[in-house]
Amino acid sequence: MAQEYFQYKGISFPRLIYSEQGLREVENKFQVRDDDVFNVTYQKSGTVWMLEILSLIHSNGDPSRCRTVPNWDRGPWYETVLGLQTARSNQPPRLISSHLPIQLFAKSFFQSKAKVLYTVRNPKDVFVSLYHFAQIFRPYKEPGQLDQFLEQFLEGDVPFGSWFDHVKGWMGLRGHENFFWISYEELQQDLRGSVERICRFLGKQLDAQAMDGVVENASFQAMKQNKMSNFSLAPRFLLDQTHSSFLRKGIAGDWKNQLTTAQSENFDRVYREQMQGLELSFPWDEL
Ligand code: A3P
């Protein structure tokens, strides 16, 4: 059963932690509340970083909860079998994480006032991060050679499907008042300024001390040292961090160390084809 995928509406999911029934429940039956906050990303785009930021904003910069409750309980991935149970039983206001493409998201969201924060990241860095992650995350198939895995990624033949479709789908909500998007690169460049923007979107005011608490405790180093955020409590059959870490490098631009010129040019070509006509600028547009 390990490393087996199934398809749900054309998207691959690893069987170890997802089920068709669970995905159907999420899409058709999950009751979104107006006070829910969703942390949505394509995988490897900064999900757990945003989860930490949102947890800390909620606690006014106090790290106690982040240091005592695992991140997967604070902001469960509601499309996983276990995450759905946790999301349903958590007390409101709920923080819920998701990698689902928009077409598989809970239908009830679209009739609600719940908020979505969507974090995007340079897809070349997403790819590199995913390549390493797939080697340590047991539900995923071994990625094999980087070149071959790159082809699969560019074709969307990986769990959660195509990065391009995911981003185009969710970005279709921009302009809606309950949708906010930010990039991993902006979080890197100016975490405090980004937290201020996030707070404005959430309608939350933090004083300077609370803001310090968020910025300090959401740093890469702080998260790496926090066992509730670094996945060291995850069971070995799911995540084996012996040779690489979930919180691996935490930088922008690592693709330059990992992709050849030919691979990068191929990526650029597919990117241009897929993203043409989208009137949006991203920090990595010099790509
Ligand atoms: P790398 O593999 O490039 O290091 P996700 O949470 O969506 O799975 O994304 C994981 C990526 O976000 C990893 O990237 C991880 O190191 C990075 N990340 C997590 N927390 C971070 C933080 N506080 N600062 C910078 N990067 C962070």
Side-chain angles (χ1 to χ4, degrees):
M1 171 147 129
Q3 299 168 357
E4 202 183 288
Y5 293 172
F6 66 89
Q7 297 272 312
Y8 181 76
K9 301 197 173 177
I11 307 280
S12 298
F13 290 90
R15 200 166 278 295
L16 201 57
I17 52 172
Y18 300 88
S19 72
E20 286 96 332
Q21 195 201 335
L23 292 168
R24 261 195 306 275
E25 293 249 332
V26 165
E27 192 184 344
N28 300 306
K29 300 219 179 99
F30 187 81
Q31 279 307 313
V32 170
R33 297 173 47 99
D34 284 340
D35 55 1
D36 285 339
V37 171
F38 286 94
N39 168 31
V40 181
T41 58
Y42 186 86
Q43 56 184 332
K44 312 322 289 176
S45 301
T47 326
V48 301
W49 194 5
M50 182 56 80
L51 199 164
E52 206 76 354
I53 292 168
L54 294 172
S55 302
L56 287 160
I57 290 176
H58 183 69
S59 65
N60 293 309
D62 177 350
S64 316
R65 189 152 182 275
C66 285
R67 291 182 185 163
T68 46
V69 182
N71 57 4
W72 59 78
D73 284 334
R74 284 184 263 128
W77 281 250
Y78 81 146
E79 61 267 21
T80 64
V81 172
L82 276 177
L84 178 57
Q85 287 174 22
T86 311
R88 280 185 167 146
S89 55
N90 275 358
Q91 288 303 307
R94 302 180 296 190
L95 170 59
I96 299 173
S97 302
S98 180
H99 295 317
L100 286 176
I102 193 165
Q103 71 275 16
L104 303 185
F105 211 67
K107 287 188 177 139
S108 62
F109 164 73
F110 299 94
Q111 274 83 53
S112 78
K113 295 195 173 89
K115 295 185 163 133
V116 163
L117 295 102
Y118 187 63
T119 310
V120 286
R121 184 183 191 186
N122 184 336
K124 290 182 177 173
D125 283 334
V126 169
F127 166 72
V128 167
S129 183
L130 181 60
Y131 181 64
H132 290 277
F133 180 64
Q135 297 171 42
I136 64 170
F137 189 50
R138 293 287 162 249
Y140 280 11
K141 293 179 182 163
E142 280 285 328
Q145 295 295 317
L146 187 140
D147 219 31
Q148 172 202 336
F149 191 61
L150 180 57
E151 284 309 312
Q152 290 170 14
F153 180 83
L154 292 175
E155 282 167 18
D157 184 17
V158 290
F160 301 104
S162 153
W163 179 90
F164 305 101
D165 291 347
H166 202 281
V167 171
K168 286 186 281 189
W170 278 103
M171 285 306 217
L173 289 190
R174 67 192 190 281
H176 290 225
E177 62 178 340
N178 62 343
F179 180 79
F180 172 90
W181 73 276
I182 194 162
S183 66
Y184 177 96
E185 291 74 14
E186 288 168 288
L187 295 173
Q188 282 277 0
Q189 273 161 21
D190 180 10
L191 184 53
R192 181 176 283 263
S194 300
V195 172
E196 280 166 7
R197 285 177 54 206
I198 295 166
C199 284
R200 273 200 296 281
F201 171 69
L202 295 174
K204 176 100 185 171
Q205 282 202 325
L206 296 185
D207 62 23
Q209 198 189 346
M211 187 62 79
D212 290 344
V214 177
V215 171
E216 276 163 31
N217 292 290
S219 74
F220 186 70
Q221 283 318 322
M223 286 178 60
K224 228 176 147 55
Q225 280 158 19
N226 181 356
K227 63 180 189 300
M228 299 296 160
S229 309
N230 65 14
F231 290 95
S232 56
L233 298 178
R236 196 55 100 75
F237 79 92
L238 284 181
L239 190 70
D240 181 357
Q241 301 198 72
T242 325
H243 298 299
S244 183
S245 305
F246 188 103
L247 295 165
R248 193 182 56 94
K249 285 198 178 172
I251 57 169
D254 190 35
W255 67 267
K256 291 177 190 154
N257 305 314
Q258 312 257 349
L259 300 188
T260 63
T261 307
Q263 286 165 341
S264 171
E265 285 175 3
N266 184 32
F267 206 123
D268 293 345
R269 188 182 50 74
V270 177
Y271 185 93
R272 277 193 298 270
E273 270 169 30
Q274 291 275 349
M275 303 301 271
Q276 64 176 344
L278 200 70
E279 284 172 14
L280 260 175
S281 61
F282 294 111
W284 58 83
D285 274 344
E286 75 283 4
L287 187 100

